[in-house]
Amino acid sequence: MAIERTFSIIKPDAVAKNVIGEIYSRFEKNGLQIIAAKMLHMTREQAEGFYAVHKERPFFKDLVDFMITGPVMMQVLEGEDAIAKNRDLMGATNPKEAAPGTIRADFADSIDANAVHGSDAPETAQQEIAFFFTENELCPRTR
Ligand code: UDP
């Protein structure tokens, strides 16, 4: 399996619940390394730009409104099969459908306030990492 990088956000609801460390622990215990991290209270423009692929969707405005309610913790994760592994750890978009033991099953309240974001494919991972991080902010252990 290939070593991949993926982009992850701990959303405002999970930051407010003070579970950044618990979520980081799940990443690390499952073989994902945090190779960059940044805490940010996004502007509306940043949230709209980040979620531009969803701009025609009915939930777009609510999603942007929610993402700017408080600070988020964003990170780049690196490891074998990192994109799919992170999606498995996150669980389904709707926490009611998320498998037991996943981050969303344990920490999310609703489909809107669902604790985490994770890239869904290599192309989106690359775009999302580049949206918030410069190349020299990435600190892979191999460098
Ligand atoms: N979302 C929402 N209502 C919906 C579908 C999605 O509020 O009916 C939000 C939710 O926060 C989700 C984000 O939009 O995490 C992006 O949706 P996507 O389908 O890409 O889900 P994800 O990849 O985050 O599981």
Side-chain angles (χ1 to χ4, degrees), residues 51-63 93 111:
Y51 279 118
V53 297
H54 293 310
K55 68 172 181 292
E56 305 306 330
R57 310 278 286 275
F59 57 80
F60 179 70
K61 183 172 183 301
D62 287 346
L63 174 60
T93 308
I111 193 166

Side-chain angles (χ1 to χ4, degrees), residues 66-95:
F66 167 67
M67 289 300 287
I68 63 175
T69 56
V72 301
M73 190 73 202
M74 42 184 71
Q75 43 284 327
V76 179
L77 307 175
E78 185 179 86
E80 269 191 18
D81 214 13
I83 296 166
K85 191 176 279 179
N86 181 44
R87 299 283 303 184
D88 286 348
L89 293 173
M90 289 163 59
T93 308
N94 185 346

